[in-house]
Amino acid sequence: MGPAARLAALLAVLALRAGDPAEVAARGDTFSALTSVARALAPERRLLGLLRRYLRGEEARLRDLTRFYHKVLSLHEDAATPVSNPLLAFTLIKRLQSDWKNVVHSLEASENIRALKDGYERVEQDLPAFEDLEGAARALMRLQDVYMLNVKGLARGVFQRVTGSAVTDLYSPRRLFSLTGDDCFQVGKVAYDMGDYYHAIPWLEEAVSLFRGSYGEWKTEDEASLEDALDHLAFAYFQAGNVLCALNLSREFLLYSPDNKRVARNVLKYEKLLAESPNQAVAETVMQRPNVPHLQTRDTYEGLCQTLGSQPTHYQIPSLYCSYETSSSPYLLLQPVRKEVIHLEPYVVLYHDFVSDAEAQKIRGLAEPWLQRSVVASGEKQLPVEYRISKSAWLKDTVDPVLVTLDRRIAALTGLDVQPPYAEYLQVVNYGIGGHYEPHFDHATSPSSPLYRMNSGNRVATFMIYLSSVEAGGATAFIYGNFSVPVVKNAALFWWNLHRSGEGDGDTLHAGCPVLVGDKWVANKWIHEYGQEFRRPCSSRPED
């Protein structure tokens, strides 16, 4: 089997051309792509229809019960009602022997709720799984960390960075979506169940605060209560070393549920610990954020993400410039591309308006039915991981003429051969809730990487197209280059991954910052070494 055939075989697997696209999408994770989250609106609309029919049925039933109530009440309000009247006496006995039984055991109520439950069970297979709730909760914690967001602000629906006494609005939504006590409890409980008390405590504190404010109001949809939030928060503080807080919260719990023997035992334990070590009552607990072993550049990465792609000194460097690019290609002579040199080492350029709105929409539409959870190379395997949250699909250029046009334009601009086996098919990516991709290299760093199965060398260059805009977040951060690039709709970012020697360029370590607000789509074209020997410019900076 030749190189071209091997490449086609491998990418045919990556492109997921087998199976029904709806089934492929159904097997994915809802939280890992915004397009999947949007699809979850459809089953909820069906549930709303079911609930509307249930409410109408119950309203009719309650009107009938109200009629019965007032009918009987009117008889009791007349103190002179003569039970000696045989007609009244008969109706009284009938009511007590028959009518009240029919009211209490009305089949109408059970039929209404049965219809609602049956409808829910038909929709249930289309609903997100518990793993999606966990993933969405972890996404909120990720945004909280990377953008230094205030949990109280998030609960009110605002996105504010808090550093010391300074408060910065990162994004102002047109409509505020506040969280309930139960919402905050569920986020905190996900962290609690992972033993992550750094994140659990602020979310559970907010849950306790909101539950206190609405105590006594029963909400059908809530799973948790003030007692649940107090119980979890108390133990979280205990695990974090703050015994006094744990004691006070447990005592408050017993005010609402005095018969709970487990919490009563905890109170005795906390009191004993404080009696034995009085210093614990005044010691401040410093919560340490959980360590991320695989991410050694976390502070730099998050600092670059927090700039949201803004580079205040960018235009003060003379060697960084903008121009109209033709690359001496007849294809571009009549319609040059606007080129912006972002950085020199590594050499990164941004081509503005590389695709049109119609082309971007078409590419997204072609990819959407085939999206599935993005994976990363782990040895010879491809695995989904927490540090890459998105869904992706691979598109052959034979799928639609727009992809042929796109390849031709990339080749004209870069001067490189972008046809298999010298380049991969187009990878289209949709990011999920807080979707991100932590610092990584596009080129292979291990000889066992699946990339080498193509027998076309390593990834020499990356051509990444922004197929959408975002409202906040989602910048592309180059860690060692110490700069980040915002999402620019319809623009394309290009950089070299390898030195001319074939060695990987360590300065190309980059990341997709978490999407704070918006639906981020990108398309990647990875170009390989072989076939480019006489095409790559002598310098990584063609203008030199």
Side-chain angles (χ1 to χ4, degrees), residues 138-396:
R138 288 195 297 269
L140 292 182
M141 297 177 219
R142 183 184 314 123
L143 295 174
Q144 169 194 347
D145 288 343
V146 174
Y147 296 108
M148 301 175 68
L149 298 178
N150 178 264
V151 171
K152 283 188 174 295
L154 285 174
R156 297 196 311 273
V158 298
F159 297 79
Q160 294 177 325
R161 179 189 300 148
V162 179
T163 51
S165 59
V167 178
T168 306
D169 288 330
L170 294 184
Y171 171 72
S172 299
R174 292 184 295 274
R175 177 184 175 189
L176 292 181
F177 292 92
S178 58
L179 301 179
T180 66
D182 191 64
D183 294 334
C184 294
F185 175 81
Q186 294 300 336
V187 178
K189 189 173 184 300
V190 168
Y192 177 95
D193 289 342
M194 296 189 299
D196 175 8
Y197 304 112
Y198 173 89
H199 289 106
I201 286 175
W203 285 101
L204 291 172
E205 280 184 333
E206 192 60 24
V208 166
S209 176
L210 291 169
F211 276 130
R212 281 173 179 155
S214 61
Y215 190 76
E217 298 177 12
W218 178 66
K219 294 180 180 177
T220 306
E221 69 271 22
D222 283 358
E223 183 176 330
S225 63
L226 174 58
E227 291 91 326
D228 293 320
L230 288 168
D231 190 16
H232 284 77
L233 182 57
F235 189 73
Y237 266 123
F238 171 69
Q239 290 293 93
N242 193 329
V243 180
L244 181 59
C245 272
L247 174 60
N248 290 336
L249 290 164
S250 298
R251 284 173 173 169
E252 182 180 352
F253 177 100
L254 291 177
L255 293 176
Y256 303 107
S257 184
D259 297 328
N260 192 298
K261 295 180 180 179
R262 176 181 57 80
V263 176
R265 288 194 298 269
N266 286 346
V267 167
L268 294 176
K269 179 174 72 173
Y270 299 151
E271 289 174 340
K272 181 179 179 182
L273 287 171
L274 289 174
E276 293 172 350
S277 303
N279 292 335
Q280 290 192 42
V282 293
E284 288 191 13
T285 303
V286 179
M287 295 295 296
Q288 294 293 328
R289 181 176 164 189
N291 186 33
V292 184
H294 64 269
L295 185 54
Q296 304 302 321
T297 56
R298 183 172 70 182
D299 292 343
T300 303
Y301 158 60
E302 293 182 352
L304 290 170
C305 290
Q306 289 163 17
T307 68
L308 303 180
S310 172
Q311 310 300 325
T313 62
H314 179 76
Y315 297 106
Q316 300 172 13
I317 303 174
S319 54
L320 304 179
Y321 63 92
C322 297
S323 65
Y324 284 99
E325 181 69 40
T326 65
S327 298
S328 302
S329 168
Y331 185 83
L332 299 174
L333 283 175
L334 294 178
Q335 192 174 2
V337 177
R338 291 188 297 147
K339 171 184 174 181
E340 179 183 356
V341 179
I342 300 291
H343 207 266
L344 297 181
E345 293 181 4
Y347 180 71
V348 179
V349 296
L350 187 69
Y351 297 109
H352 291 265
D353 296 317
F354 181 76
V355 295
S356 66
D357 286 341
E359 288 172 325
Q361 185 175 356
K362 180 69 173 179
I363 294 168
R364 294 197 306 264
L366 291 171
E368 184 169 353
W370 304 100
L371 290 172
Q372 72 166 12
R373 179 71 182 269
S374 298
V375 296
V376 300
S378 178
E380 296 187 2
K381 296 181 179 179
Q382 301 278 321
L383 301 172
V385 289
E386 181 65 21
Y387 58 84
R388 185 183 189 189
I389 300 299
S390 63
K391 285 185 178 180
S392 54
W394 298 82
L395 298 178
K396 295 181 180 181

Side-chain angles (χ1 to χ4, degrees), residues 450-486:
L451 289 176
Y452 288 113
R453 297 178 195 169
M454 300 178 185
N455 288 330
S456 56
N458 209 340
R459 288 173 172 167
V460 68
T462 294
F463 200 94
M464 184 175 72
I465 307 165
Y466 295 113
L467 298 175
S468 69
S469 60
V470 297
E471 296 177 72
T476 303
F478 287 82
I479 311 306
Y480 297 134
N482 197 33
F483 68 98
S484 59
V485 183

